[in-house]
Amino acid sequence: MEEREVVIIGGGPAGLTAAIYGKRAGLDLVVLEKGSFGGQIIITNEVENWPGTQHTTGNDLAKSFHDHAEHLGCEFRKATVREIIPGNDRHVVATNVGDIAAKSVIIATGATFRRLGCTGETEFTGAGVSYCAVCDGAFFTDQDVAVIGGGNTAVEEACYLTRFASKVYIVHRRDEFRADRLVCERAACSEKIVPVWNSVAESINGTDMVESLTVKNVETGELRDIPLAGVFVFVGTVPTVSFLNGLLERAEGGWIKTDARMQTSVPGIFAAGDVRDTPLRQVVTAAGDGAHAAMAAHHWITAGTC
Ligand code: NAP
């Protein structure tokens, strides 16, 4: 079986930063990624809070992380992890392209978009329902769309969609957004953005493509039909952990519990970035987690303690 000092699962900001720090510390490591390198950030158009860079795109930032790791000689592999089999001095990472025995494993698999669960959401995914404004926004040029949610993602992506759509409803279940003040102020300046307060999506309707959204006012119970062509769902995220099959202690929602050094409940297995139980999920915190995890893995391998 292939043997490594460290296997990093996930090629987003946390995994790539762990790779950079791990490689610089002299660790023999491989980064596994099942999709494209960069993680969720690659579908974000505007990144304005990466220190030292006033404005960049998620794709450019992800590419710079990847190029940096590649320049240091990090090895990357396309692989889907099926499970991690814990051991005393070796953990086995089982993948669709073979198994790897590793002294240490860093889980940096991130999170994916939470589904809304309303009628029509699954049926119209790809036919008017989307989870990515950068990917699909241009399809709705001069048409009306709705964004569901009130967090940073929902309000930022609604602002982005105003470049294309004629009107962008933001359907939120409360009467104020959760998003940061600056983001809310930007949305308030747009004449194209129309908040629909105290409302949830009841059903997404159409024949072949989305034609309308039915929203329900949570205070009055009143139903309202909004004619539109697209519905963008941004109601938070869920951790990518299905391959763990119950391994590792988890917080509510499935987020992996770690200590301050990213150590999970199994010695030698670390978690970094959005997948872990953390109060802030940002590129900068994911990168910080990745650095901690790599240094903790180095300490575990060289000193034999966490
Ligand atoms: P989030 O902050 O968890 O917000 C999710 C939003 O969806 C909330 O407004 C929530 O409503 C709403 N929601 C949840 N379930 C719902 C349901 N079933 N029906 C209707 N609405 C529902 O998620 P996020 O916006 O994806 O952000 C995730 C993390 O990334 C956050 O920490 C965020 O700050 C960060 N982020 C940061 C930036 C940035 O700094 N520029 C950009 C994007 C994301 P309630 O408010 O009522 O709970």
Side-chain angles (χ1 to χ4, degrees), residues 13 40 51 70 81 98 113 139 143 152 183-184 236 239 245 249 268 280 293 297:
Q40 263 199 325
E70 195 168 50
V81 174
F113 290 113
F139 293 130
Q143 301 184 77
N152 274 318
V183 177
C184 294
N245 302 319
E249 205 176 311
L280 189 61

Side-chain angles (χ1 to χ4, degrees), residues 49 116 150-153 156 172-174 178 235-236 281-282:
N49 52 9
L116 202 51
N152 274 318
T153 307
E156 282 189 352
H172 185 37
R173 62 187 179 185
R174 295 186 291 121
R178 176 190 291 275
V235 292
R281 295 191 173 88
Q282 301 277 294

Side-chain angles (χ1 to χ4, degrees), residues 113 130-133 147-151 153-154 157-158 161 232-236:
F113 290 113
S130 172
Y131 302 84
C132 176
V147 162
I148 318 287
T153 307
E157 298 308 290
L161 286 165
F232 287 81
V233 180
F234 299 116
V235 292

